[in-house]
Amino acid sequence: TIVFIDGYNLYYGIVRHTPYKWLDIFKLFQERLLLPETELLEVRYYTAPVLGSLCDDPASPQRQRQYLQALRKLHTEKIAIFEGKLVKSTPILRLAEPIPAAPELTMARVVTLTEKKTDVNIASDMLTAAFLGQCEQVVLCSNDSDMEGALKAIRQHCPAVRVGLVTPIASSDHRHICKELKALSHWVKVLKLDDMAQAQLPHKIPGTSITKPSSW
């Protein structure tokens, strides 16, 4: 099995408002989410460096680097991290509803962030793994319908490859699972807070000076 994680989808889907940000993603899947007999070859984690100029906390970029370095050091052979980028833009957009203090205002310039490369990197890597027979099972950790095409191609052209879906949603309501991804998966699990609580990195990464940040 190879696991493919959409880092931002995982973070904003469930991790963000929890105390479990020091998450050991390899342990999470190996010990909590996959069957005991599963041979977990690799966990591939796709993310993008945060932009310090747009963070509420200026320490956010450093914490992210600490976390990624902790994963690399603890699971050198089992975790691969792929970084895209965040692109800032300032389009002028129409207001969804009037602002009482400025009723004449109908348009406003806003700051938007777009994550680049992650979706296509995950899709192309899943397809490559399936088509080249690198694994017997691909597991996607995401609830993003943009992954539908990749899963559909795997199911159509690689019928021997099993597809698993782990959805990072804060709700326990299964109706919030992306129905397109669910329909293309052999099995589906909703990531639970208890799973994350039981799969935390050690406070200090052995053999390094990397420690869990004191605050987030």
Side-chain angles (χ1 to χ4, degrees):
T1 292
I2 299 177
V3 173
F4 301 81
I5 300 177
D6 182 337
Y8 273 78
N9 200 273
L10 171 62
Y11 181 79
Y12 286 104
I14 191 171
V15 174
R16 185 182 185 186
H17 296 299
T18 75
Y20 308 127
K21 299 179 179 70
W22 199 234
L23 185 62
D24 186 335
I25 52 176
F26 187 83
K27 183 178 181 180
L28 176 68
F29 281 86
Q30 184 179 55
E31 299 184 9
R32 303 292 302 183
L33 298 173
L34 299 176
L35 294 175
E37 63 269 24
T38 302
E39 180 187 358
L40 181 51
L41 299 177
E42 188 176 48
V43 174
R44 301 180 182 177
Y45 185 79
Y46 300 79
T47 187
V50 298
L51 300 179
S53 60
L54 296 179
C55 292
D56 295 333
D57 186 340
S60 292
Q62 175 61 25
R63 285 197 295 263
Q64 184 191 41
R65 287 192 294 269
Q66 279 179 259
Y67 175 63
L68 297 181
Q69 193 66 359
L71 292 176
R72 290 187 180 102
K73 292 294 185 180
L74 190 63
H75 298 291
T76 306
E77 303 296 327
K78 291 294 187 177
I79 288 181
I81 297 172
F82 302 87
E83 295 190 37
K85 62 180 180 179
L86 292 177
V87 177
K88 173 186 172 183
S89 60
T90 55
I92 298 176
L93 300 176
R94 188 176 302 278
L95 295 177
E97 55 188 45
I99 298 175
E104 73 285 355
L105 191 65
T106 60
M107 309 282 284
R109 185 178 296 279
V110 300
V111 175
T112 64
L113 288 175
T114 305
E115 188 180 4
K116 296 291 187 180
K117 298 185 180 181
T118 290
D119 286 351
V120 70
N121 283 346
I122 295 175
S124 60
D125 285 354
M126 282 198 302
L127 288 169
T128 299
F131 275 76
L132 296 183
Q134 295 175 351
C135 60
E136 298 170 321
Q137 176 173 244
V138 298
V139 175
L140 173 65
C141 180
S142 177
N143 201 41
D144 187 345
S145 62
D146 286 349
M147 293 295 110
E148 179 187 2
L151 295 191
K152 185 179 294 184
I154 292 171
R155 291 299 302 269
Q156 180 178 351
H157 300 292
C158 306
V161 176
R162 287 181 62 79
V163 174
L165 177 67
V166 173
T167 58
I169 55 176
S171 169
S172 60
D173 189 339
H174 281 239
R175 290 176 297 180
H176 293 166
I177 299 173
C178 174
K179 63 179 185 294
E180 293 86 359
L181 301 185
K182 184 177 181 180
L184 292 165
S185 302
H186 290 96
W187 58 266
V188 179
K189 287 187 178 180
V190 175
L191 183 57
K192 295 181 172 61
L193 293 179
D194 185 56
D195 294 324
M196 297 194 299
Q198 298 301 318
Q200 293 292 291
L201 293 164
H203 182 80
K204 183 178 186 297
I205 306 302
T208 75
S209 60
I210 303 169
T211 59
K212 180 180 179 179
S214 57
S215 62
W216 293 85

